[in-house]
Every structure is written in C-alpha cells, then in structure tokens.
Amino acid sequence: MLLKLEHVKKEYDSFKLDCSLEVKKGQVTGLVGSNGAGKSTTFKSILGLIFPDEGNIELLGKDISAITASDKEEIGVVLTEANVCEYLTAKDLIPIMKAMYKDFSTEDYMDKCKAYGIPLKKIIKDFSTGMKAKLKVILAMSHNAKLLILDEPTAGLDVIMRNELLDMLRDYMENEERGILISSHISTDLEGLCDDIYMIANGKIIMHEETDVLLSEYGVLKLTKEQYETVDKAYILSSKEEKFGYLCLTNQKDFYMENYPEIAIEKGNIDDFIILMEKGVRK
Amino acid sequence: MNLIINNSSMTPIYEQIVSQMKEKIMSGQLKPDAMLPSVRTLSKDLRISALTVKKAYDAMEQEGYIVTVHGKGSFVANVNPNLAIEEKQKEVEKIFEQGIRKGKECGMTKEDMMELFDVVLSDF
Amino acid sequence: MKGLLIKDLKIVASQKRFFFIAILFSVIFAWTGEDVTFASTYLVLIISMLTLTTISHDDFNGGMLFILTLPTTRKIYTKEKYIFAFLNLMLGALCSILVCVIIGTIKGSSIPWAAIISSTAGITLAMGFMLAVTIPLEFKFGVEKGRIAMITAVAIIFLVGAGGYKLLTDVFHVDLKSTVAELISKLPSNGQLVEIIIGSLMFVLLLAMLFVSYLISNKIMKKKEF
C-alpha cells in the first residue's frame, strides 16, 4: 500500500471533507470531481500542507506526522496551485534538485526538458502555462519516486500536450514498484490511464470503481416517463429528470440490455456518470 | 502486438483483447512459447488501464491459451488444436442460437426453421 | 537544507544587476561623500534586505507549496532562512568595511577605522533587529501584509522608545544622555578592551535576537496551513 486515507475530515466555513481512499503498488488511481469538490483539500492533507481535523493518513506505510524530509524523496508531487520558484530558470533547478534528491538524474532531466521543449535558460515566470505544467511533471518524475501525487497535472494543456504527458506517466508505470494518484477534471484523460477511479462530490467520495468495470458494465439508460415507472430499478444508481423522461445510471447495463431490449442504452463515459451521480437523485 | 481497440464498442475492452489475441494464436500469428508484452507495456501501447489488460490475460490463462510464469512474463501456450475447433464451434453455436431466437420471435415453428436451414445449407 | 541554501543563492544570483548597482552606488557614496560611513550603512541595508527578497520570491505564485513538497520540512525551511539571514548580515558588514577601506586607500586619505566599524556594527545590529521582527511577521501574515505589519511594528517601537525617553526626561527628570555618558566614562580606560567587549556584546545580542525570532517563526510555521 503506497497511500491510505481513512475518513480524513476537514471542515471549512461552507465545505466539509470526508475522504477515504487507497493507492496500491503498481496501480494508477484517479480522483475525479468538479472544481471545489475537495480534490485539492485531499491532496494538501496528504502532503501535510493543511492539517485534517480527524482521520488517518498513511503515506508509504507511515503515519504522515512521522514523515521525514528524506521520506519525501520517495514522492513526486504536482499541485495545481504550487509553482516552481518562478524567478529561477530550469537550469538553476538542477543543483537544487541534486542537493535535495539522492536519485536525481541531471542527464535524464536535461533530456526530458529538451524532448518536451522546455527552455533551460528562460526565467520560469515567463513560461507559457503549458510549459510550466510540463516542467512540474518532469520535476516530479525526475528522482525515481515510488509514488506520484498529481493534482490536475494536465490543467492548462492542449489535447496534444495532454496526450504526451499521459504517455510519460504510462512510461513511468512500467516499473511495477511505483504507483500514481492523479486527479483531473478531464475524465477522458483518466479513462485510459487509471486502474481505478474515485469520484468525489461536495467533499465526499460518492463512487469507487475499477475503470474497466466503469467502462464495461456501467451505462446510461434513456427512459420515457412510462418506461421509468415500469422498469426494474434494482441496478440503477442515480436518475435525473429530463425533458424526454429520465436519464439513469446503471452499473449493470447488460441486465437492462437483455431484459429490456426496447430501452435506449448508451455506453456513456465517465463525464456522463459524474453528471448523473452529482446532479441526479442517488439511490 | 497489433490489437485494435474500439473504445465506443459495447463489447467490453478486455473481451476485445481476448478475442483478438485468441484469433492470433489460432491463426498461428502468435506461435507457442512466444512472449506476450507485459501488462504495463500493452496497457501503455493501447492506452487502456493495466487492470483491463490483466483481466484479459487472466481470462486467457484460465482458458489455457497462455501461461504466465511469475517474474518472467506471459507466453503463448501449446494450444490443443481441439481447443481451437471447440472454440470455433462455440461461436457457430452462438450464431445459431441468435438465429433461432429471432425465428421464435417472429413465430416460426421448429419445422419452418429446419426447412429454412436446409434451404440455406443447400446454397453452399 | 543544502538545497534550500542553493535555491536562495540562485535567487540572489538572479538579482545580479541589482547587486552591482548597489555596490556601484556605495562606491560613489564612499568616493564623493565626506562621510565614508554612509556608504557602509547603505550596503549593509541593501544586502540584508536580500533575505526578505528570497522570502517574497518563495511566496510568489504558490512557490511555498512547491518548496514544502520537496524533501524538506517547515522546520528546516525556517532554520535555513535564519542561517541565510545571518550570513547576509555578515556578508553585508564585510562588504561595507571592504568598500570603505578600499576607497579610503585609493583616495589616500586616512581610514577612519573607528567610525567605519562602529557604524557598520550599529547598522548590522539594527538590520538584524529589523529582520528578527519582519521574518516572523511575514511568515504569519504573508509577504504583503507582513511588510505592513513590520512598518507598523517599527513605528510602535519607535513611538514607545521616544515616548519612554520623553517620559523619563520630562516627567521623571532623568537626564538620560549624561547618565549614559557617565556610565561610559566609568568604564575602564583601556580603549581596545572596551571596544572588544562592546563588539562581542553586540554580536551576542544579534545572535540572541535572531534566535528568539527563530523560535517564534518556528511556532508560527508549525501551525500554518498552506
């Protein structure tokens, strides 16, 4: 187990977090949810940047209060709000990283900067959003960390750059000892990368499922009002009223395909599921 | 490994992998003892989750198409030719089943269907 | 710690131009001015401000969040800032003495050692005090509000000091100036020894101020949420 959160609670004026999740070795775990759902609060709690009111966080097998500076060499972090010391250049960072991490590879870092078009001698403050985002991910992956903790690493990137970055993460995972916790509000990014996905809304985890199950067994039913009245709702997780009738999220689309061939059933994607779970009436 | 994954198909991705790999094994494109790509590599190449690939490999192993040696990787098994034939027969059976179900839906009797079957068969 | 120090040095290095201008000005001051000590105070002031520059750069655009995710801790970060502040003060003092002496030598005038050293020591102590007050305030309230808090704090201290002085002289009729003069005249007449004692006392005072300030900052940082 690389990371384990047990009912981590944090209360703000108008927001309450209560989050439990796990990241296992060899796995990529995703956290999806809309802005303000509690993703950043969760990440900051894991990293000890804020102090939860209650609950346990175990990072690399240790309670986070016992994490030392050298333990942190084992993690690579990207936070949306965090930015590399922006008055420096990418080259300035080399001796700093070298002094910080035993396993930092200057060569690898320079190669990656070159490959992803990061100028070494330009002040980071003057980088484009995309360049900054890429640099952050390159830094997180530069020191052989066991666990990557990535909060919205693809934010601000265009589709091509996002794919490049996701490929970088896939390369990183070829070493089985590693694991990744990643959040994104672009769920298609996560569909092809994560092994399991947590869905968070209003500070609570409302769904946890293997990506494979989500994509093969979940589906969206489009029902008329009459169909909605008669259909067996045993496998309906959430429904939302629409002009034409109801949209329903099911975790057993085969059941409905076999028993109700007349119903319109869509495979759906994670975005549809999020909308239905968040905006619909949950069972 | 050249597999084509259709992300918008209703067929689950792991089933798509299984059926395409079986196809390659049966047709001899993948020879016995050939090493398969690792779970992570294939997941990277296909841009799908590693668990999906693992599920596919597990399913194929259970059916005896591949063998996984811990720490070494997965290899194509010495597939019994009968297994291949059996597999094909199963597919044919499935298609017959579908036909019969359709027939029943539109009220055909057993005799109607037999007759139709003979007609179609005589065309070959 | 080493990584953080390198980071701060890199930040200072990125301010090269600013640095050169500061030295240039101090040289001009020392060259043209009658009073060579003004140049020395100026240089200590500028160099010790570099510590605050690094704090505001660390704070810029979520930089602190990044730094704290590196293999370091809040405690190490705080400690490093004070070590850096101390090094800067010493460097400032050294530079100021050097500039004055070099310029003095070139100009061929006699070097007012006593004036240079006492003014440097005085400004170093004053800047040390300023940093000891400002650093914890900036940690507590952030850079922007911290600066305002610092100015307010200095104003209050000044008012209290001035008020206290006025209170003593006007209300209690204590002649502070002559008391101090009397005290000094009572000191042993061996000048050098006195200078050494006063010098080391100032040094100890500087260290003590920074240490107390460090303890306070450490407490603030321990509780701070980012």
Side-chain angles (χ1 to χ4, degrees):
Chain A
M1 192 73 61
L2 291 172
L3 176 68
K4 188 175 181 179
L5 271 70
E6 280 176 320
H7 289 291
V8 172
K9 291 182 186 170
K10 178 82 184 170
E11 203 170 337
Y12 291 111
D13 291 340
S14 56
F15 174 78
K16 219 169 150 182
L17 180 79
D18 181 355
C19 178
S20 301
L21 62 81
E22 287 179 3
V23 180
K24 296 193 186 83
K25 220 189 249 179
Q27 281 203 9
V28 184
T29 296
L31 183 63
V32 296
S34 41
N35 293 333
K39 286 176 295 180
S40 286
T41 311
T42 306
F43 277 93
K44 283 185 179 179
S45 305
I46 295 168
L47 296 165
L49 294 167
I50 57 171
F51 306 109
D53 306 330
E54 265 178 73
N56 293 316
I57 301 176
E58 221 176 76
L59 182 61
L60 305 161
K62 262 189 179 180
D63 188 88
I64 50 156
S65 58
I67 290 287
T68 64
S70 60
D71 288 332
K72 283 161 116 183
E73 289 188 40
E74 303 282 358
I75 58 170
V77 183
V78 171
L79 288 177
T80 8
E81 296 164 57
N83 280 298
V84 182
C85 320
E86 293 205 335
Y87 283 93
L88 301 179
T89 65
K91 200 177 166 204
D92 286 337
L93 296 175
I94 295 172
I96 301 172
M97 295 297 278
K98 235 176 162 169
M100 290 270 187
Y101 297 96
K102 277 196 297 293
D103 278 355
F104 180 76
S105 157
T106 308
E107 219 172 276
D108 196 42
Y109 172 76
M110 302 260 271
D111 286 349
K112 281 208 181 103
C113 283
K114 213 172 164 190
Y116 292 96
I118 305 292
L120 285 173
K121 288 185 179 165
K122 192 172 173 179
I123 302 280
I124 298 169
K125 194 163 68 86
D126 300 332
F127 278 20
S128 69
T129 324
M131 281 201 279
K132 281 185 193 174
K134 278 198 271 186
L135 178 63
K136 274 156 74 173
V137 179
I138 291 173
L139 284 171
M141 298 199 308
S142 67
H143 48 85
N144 191 23
K146 268 195 192 135
L147 174 65
L148 295 186
I149 299 175
L150 312 173
D151 186 16
E152 300 268 2
T154 55
L157 297 183
D158 62 41
V159 119
I160 293 167
M161 284 201 230
R162 277 198 341 250
N163 270 323
E164 276 180 10
L165 197 144
L166 294 173
D167 280 340
M168 273 164 78
L169 294 177
R170 289 189 184 98
D171 282 335
Y172 199 77
M173 281 306 289
E174 282 196 272
N175 179 335
E176 296 280 325
E177 294 297 301
R178 295 170 170 170
I180 299 179
L181 174 67
I182 179 172
S183 81
S184 175
H185 61 267
I186 302 160
S187 50
T188 43
D189 283 354
L190 300 183
E191 275 179 21
L193 175 72
C194 298
D195 297 304
D196 62 335
I197 288 179
Y198 287 87
M199 213 174 269
I200 188 168
N202 296 321
K204 283 205 170 54
I205 300 287
I206 51 170
M207 188 196 268
H208 173 219
E209 194 66 84
E210 285 175 11
T211 317
D212 190 59
V213 175
L214 273 179
L215 296 179
S216 61
E217 286 166 31
Y218 280 60
V220 177
L221 313 181
K222 288 184 166 172
L223 304 173
T224 62
K225 290 213 168 54
E226 296 74 40
Q227 282 171 334
Y228 182 75
E229 298 303 325
T230 54
V231 87
D232 180 356
K233 296 187 190 64
Y235 304 108
I236 285 178
L237 300 179
S238 167
S239 21
K240 182 168 171 269
E241 206 172 347
E242 295 284 337
K243 277 253 161 61
F244 60 83
Y246 287 90
L247 274 180
C248 299
L249 175 67
T250 174
N251 57 355
Q252 294 282 329
K253 80 168 182 273
D254 288 351
F255 171 82
Y256 294 97
M257 277 163 77
E258 274 166 32
N259 294 300
Y260 303 94
E262 71 281 7
I263 290 179
I265 300 178
E266 281 179 350
K267 194 173 139 81
N269 57 34
I270 294 176
D271 285 328
D272 300 330
F273 305 160
I274 294 173
I275 293 169
L276 276 170
M277 283 303 278
E278 243 185 74
K279 301 278 173 211
V281 182
R282 265 177 269 155
K283 194 166 67 171
Chain B
M1 177 89 23
N2 297 317
L3 301 178
I4 308 280
I5 299 299
N6 180 350
N7 278 312
S8 48
S9 157
M10 276 287 190
T11 315
I13 293 168
Y14 91 94
E15 275 180 28
Q16 295 183 35
I17 298 174
V18 169
S19 69
Q20 288 182 44
M21 278 216 175
K22 276 186 189 169
E23 189 74 42
K24 282 184 199 292
I25 292 172
M26 310 263 233
S27 68
Q29 266 190 65
L30 280 172
K31 300 262 182 318
D33 295 330
M35 193 174 161
L36 296 175
S38 77
V39 169
R40 271 293 160 200
T41 311
L42 190 60
S43 96
K44 196 182 91 185
D45 294 347
L46 300 178
R47 299 211 166 93
I48 56 175
S49 99
L51 270 188
T52 311
V53 178
K54 201 173 170 308
K55 219 165 152 183
Y57 277 23
D58 287 349
M60 283 191 288
E61 192 172 6
Q62 235 167 24
E63 293 178 46
Y65 284 87
I66 65 170
V67 182
T68 302
V69 184
H70 194 76
K72 280 201 172 152
S74 300
F75 302 88
V76 176
N78 273 305
V79 186
N80 180 352
N82 289 333
L83 194 70
I85 295 167
E86 226 172 80
E87 185 76 20
K88 286 282 174 206
Q89 279 179 354
K90 258 192 221 154
E91 262 175 57
V92 176
E93 196 182 312
K94 221 176 180 176
I95 295 167
F96 280 164
E97 262 178 33
Q98 279 174 358
I100 294 169
R101 200 177 294 139
K102 260 260 150 69
K104 276 198 167 161
E105 269 174 31
C106 57
M108 286 172 80
T109 64
K110 191 179 165 188
E111 286 70 32
D112 293 339
M113 277 192 261
M114 294 288 255
E115 203 175 301
L116 196 60
F117 185 76
D118 283 335
V119 173
V120 177
L121 199 63
S122 65
D123 283 349
F124 284 86
Chain C
M1 174 83 85
K2 197 176 145 210
L4 292 175
L5 277 170
I6 297 174
K7 172 191 62 70
D8 283 347
L9 289 176
K10 288 278 177 193
I11 291 176
V12 172
S14 73
Q15 308 264 308
K16 281 191 285 289
R17 204 177 303 151
F18 168 80
F19 221 37
F20 280 131
I21 291 172
I23 297 224
L24 189 73
F25 266 113
S26 74
V27 167
I28 293 170
F29 288 147
W31 190 265
T32 55
E34 284 293 299
D35 187 5
V36 83
T37 57
F38 180 74
S40 69
T41 33
Y42 173 75
L43 212 52
V44 176
L45 194 109
I46 292 293
I47 293 178
S48 55
M49 287 299 271
L50 284 174
T51 311
L52 298 182
T53 309
T54 64
I55 293 179
S56 65
H57 281 200
D58 286 348
D59 206 44
F60 179 77
N61 203 3
M64 269 317 278
L65 287 169
F66 175 76
I67 289 167
L68 288 177
T69 58
L70 295 171
T72 186
T73 60
R74 293 157 188 253
K75 197 171 178 176
I76 295 173
Y77 177 83
T78 315
K79 208 183 270 174
E80 186 271 342
K81 272 296 163 234
Y82 279 90
I83 290 174
F84 189 68
F86 180 73
L87 291 177
N88 268 330
L89 286 168
M90 292 300 110
L91 179 77
L94 193 72
C95 284
S96 94
I97 293 171
L98 276 179
V99 165
C100 294
V101 170
I102 291 170
I103 297 295
T105 316
I106 296 172
K107 274 169 85 173
S109 50
S110 69
I111 298 158
W113 280 103
I116 292 170
I117 291 180
S118 62
S119 73
T120 303
I123 188 72
T124 306
L125 196 66
M127 288 314 287
F129 175 72
M130 190 278 292
L131 287 176
V133 174
T134 315
I135 295 174
L137 286 173
E138 294 208 349
F139 283 165
K140 176 88 188 170
F141 301 108
V143 171
E144 277 300 307
K145 285 184 209 151
R147 291 273 152 93
I148 298 167
M150 183 265 284
I151 292 164
T152 320
V154 168
I156 290 169
I157 290 165
F158 177 77
L159 283 177
V160 169
Y165 179 74
K166 220 173 160 57
L167 202 71
L168 280 177
T169 43
D170 291 0
V171 183
F172 296 104
H173 304 291
V174 184
D175 190 354
L176 220 54
K177 271 183 195 158
S178 52
T179 322
V180 173
E182 206 176 318
L183 265 174
I184 290 171
S185 71
K186 273 184 191 160
L187 287 169
S189 56
N190 188 338
Q192 217 166 11
L193 188 69
V194 176
E195 272 160 29
I196 290 171
I197 291 173
I198 291 178
S200 28
L201 270 178
M202 281 171 97
F203 192 71
V204 170
L205 185 62
L206 176 70
L207 283 179
M209 282 188 314
L210 288 176
F211 185 69
V212 170
S213 170
Y214 161 71
L215 292 179
I216 296 167
S217 289
N218 211 6
K219 242 187 186 141
I220 292 168
M221 279 302 249
K222 212 169 157 184
K223 285 194 203 130
K224 190 167 176 179
E225 298 212 319
F226 289 92

